[in-house]
Amino acid sequence: MYSNKTTTLVTAEEMKLIEEEIFSAGMPVASLMEKVALKTAQKIKELYPIKEKKISLGFMVGCGHNGGDALVIARELYYQGYDIVIYPPLIEKFKELTAHHFKYASSLGIKIVSNIKALSICHIIVDGLFGFGLTRKITDNLAEDIAIVNQWNKPIISIDIPSGINSDTGAVLGIAIKATHTLCLGLYKKGIWQDRALEYLGQVERIDFNIPPAFIDKITAEFPTTELLTQEKVQEILPLPRHVTTYKYKQGHLLLICGSKEYAGAALLSAYGARSSGVGMVTMVVPDSLKPLINSQLPEMLVIGCRETSLGSIETLPLLDWQKYQWVCCGMGLTKEAVSVVKKVIASGCDILLDADALNIVANYYLLDELKNRHGKTVLTPHDGEFERLFPDLPFVGMADRIEETRQGAIALNATILRKGAKTIISDNINTWIIPHGTTALARGGSGDVLSGFIGGLLAQNNFTDTISVDTVGAAAWLHQRGGILASEDLSTLGVDGVTLSQYILKAVNELKRNGQWFFNETC
Ligand SMILES: NC(=O)C1=CN([C@@H]2O[C@H](COP(=O)(O)OP(=O)(O)OC[C@H]3O[C@@H](n4cnc5c(N)ncnc54)[C@H](OP(=O)(O)O)[C@@H]3O)[C@@H](O)[C@H]2O)[C@@H](O)CC1
Ligand SMILES: Nc1ncnc2c1ncn2[C@@H]1O[C@H](COP(=O)(O)OP(=O)(O)O)[C@@H](O)[C@H]1O
Ligand SMILES: [K+]
């Protein structure tokens, strides 16, 4: 019953409100701190057990309850036989509870120092300067202390969040601790999943302290929710059951509009992505000159060649029976010349996914209103650069909260937006998913083309079900990253080209199937 919602991300405001619910229900503040800190001390003990040699821990203790947590952890580890040194630079600002714990720790004879350099003899640093209460830039002596500690190259364990990171936006407020471990307390703070915080976090673990789920639900219901997409959820979204009497047109027909003489590979890679989705039929619309290449590489695809410009882009679309297709995926390698193509796709009334040059054309020709008011479902898959080009004037850009920006973008365009990056974000105006895992092996040309084709193929198949787009897109992105991880485990980070990725996505699908109920659902 009290297995906490491990996947919900909270802002500092939500965390404070949840904390208030706990306290007003009768839990004393000091008892909660004691419980949280004991569990955190236990985790540190597991991470760095005392063997033959003593281990010394240097604690940076702030003035708020993050500092209070640090003092309780220090005391408990002192009892367990660790050498403890405490550095409290904000001693004159201590909150009451923090001051009590400091007094008690001092009374036990724990060593207190007044210069950060005295922690240089410690094996490990514990960062309890600031948690989610940090509001302002860190400056002056404190900033210097953090710079010194970061230079030492020692293991650093941050309590709740690395000090200096804004717990909502992930922004570095002046300077931040570069942790090797972040032990996040209770619920994941949103800032931990923002791309710009990633290099400060090290390994992240959550310390559960049994927050009653009803309190979490009550508070998070009042705010837009952001959730980590888990394997269990992906298994719920993607059984893609196949009826025994199904046939190709019942498994979805995807229309890919892509490619140019210059970017022929983008068309191929998106087709390989679509192939990995198992979609029933794929028709590709490409410039005439690409037809032989596609036919030789992907013989199962239907190919419609188009008249092309002198630079080798599609000049105009032929007459298409749009109603035949369950999803239309457009933009990969199209070039910025293909303006009339993108306009026709937007006006088609079909369910569409726009990527790459289709997004650049929307931005260059101010097609945002056409996009917003169109009939049919819209999925957009920008990376950060494309996202910023799409929304240059809107007030939320520059808010510096990638997750919130993506949600606001989805609202503004009445679309599902997948924002690519180290942490992929998928949002419509109701649900926001974060893909928790990922690999830098995907940071190379073509990974995104594979993703678009794969998403398109799954959307085309799932269009026969009542699965909402944001869930299908999320599941596709989850499998895409997982495929990248499996490929890099076999072939190294250097070995994950687009074609290889498209094949390993299928390994990720099979892995899901082995771990879940697909086997039983397959013919239902
Ligand atoms: N919620 C939970 O469930 C639980 C929460 N717990 C713990 O509580 C932590 C949150 O504690 P918190 O609210 O006391 O805030 P925290 O981050 O320690 O520091 C804020 C203090 O810093 C100050 N200050 C701010 N900026 C500054 C700056 N630039 N330079 C200098 N000073 C600055 C600010 O003072 P100000 O000057 O703004 O008045 C204020 O006094 C949380 O992360 C977790 O560890 C657990 O114990 C139990 C369960
Ligand atoms: N550091 C990283 N960690 C995890 N995934 C990444 C990283 N860098 C890029 N990716 C993923 O790789 C893909 C790149 O897409 P994109 O930039 O559109 O490439 P392209 O247009 O060349 O195909 C996205 O899915 C993105 O999330
Ligand atoms: K901290």
Side-chain angles (χ1 to χ4, degrees), residues 49 83 85 132 140 159 174 179 211 338 343 362 387 406 414 471 487 501 512:
D83 279 338
V85 185
F132 59 64
D140 307 320
I159 303 169
I211 306 174
K343 284 186 175 170
V362 167
F387 187 90
T406 308
N414 190 25
D471 287 355
L501 172 63
L512 256 193

Side-chain angles (χ1 to χ4, degrees), residues 12 14-20 22-23 29-37 62-70 90 93-95 97-98 127-139 142 159-161 163-164 167 173 183 185-187 189 209 211:
E14 286 171 290
M15 196 69 216
K16 278 180 201 154
L17 290 169
I18 291 168
E19 198 179 33
E20 277 168 26
I22 299 174
F23 297 147
V29 179
S31 305
L32 187 67
M33 182 179 283
E34 197 72 13
K35 173 166 183 166
V36 172
C63 53
H65 284 178
N66 199 249
D69 287 345
L90 298 168
K93 281 183 65 181
F94 271 168
K95 281 188 177 174
L97 189 52
T98 310
D127 154 37
L129 277 178
F130 300 109
F132 59 64
L134 180 76
T135 46
R136 305 185 307 280
K137 210 172 149 183
I138 297 178
T139 55
L142 261 190
I159 303 169
D160 209 13
I161 192 160
S163 299
S167 63
L173 296 178
L183 302 180
L185 307 182
L187 295 168
K189 312 303 172 300
F209 58 88
I211 306 174

Side-chain angles (χ1 to χ4, degrees), residues 383 420-422 424 438-440 442-449 451 480-481:
H383 54 57
K420 297 167 186 167
T424 300
T439 169
T440 53
L442 296 191
R444 69 194 274 176
S447 312
D449 300 321
L451 177 63
H480 176 254
Q481 288 288 350

Side-chain angles (χ1 to χ4, degrees), residues 254-260 263-268 270 284-287 313-314 317 328-339 341-343 345-346 352-362 379-381 383 386 420 448-450 452-453:
L254 171 68
L255 182 69
L256 283 179
I257 304 177
C258 52
S260 58
Y263 302 114
L268 282 179
S270 58
M284 294 184 70
V285 174
V286 293
S313 309
I314 299 176
L317 281 183
V328 178
C329 191
C330 170
M332 299 72 66
L334 209 56
T335 80
K336 294 190 190 71
E337 278 195 313
V339 182
V341 174
V342 173
K343 284 186 175 170
V345 168
I346 291 175
I352 63 172
L353 178 152
L354 300 185
D355 184 33
D357 283 325
L359 298 172
N360 292 326
I361 288 169
V362 167
V379 174
L380 309 174
T381 57
H383 54 57
E386 288 157 350
K420 297 167 186 167
D449 300 321
V450 172
S452 301

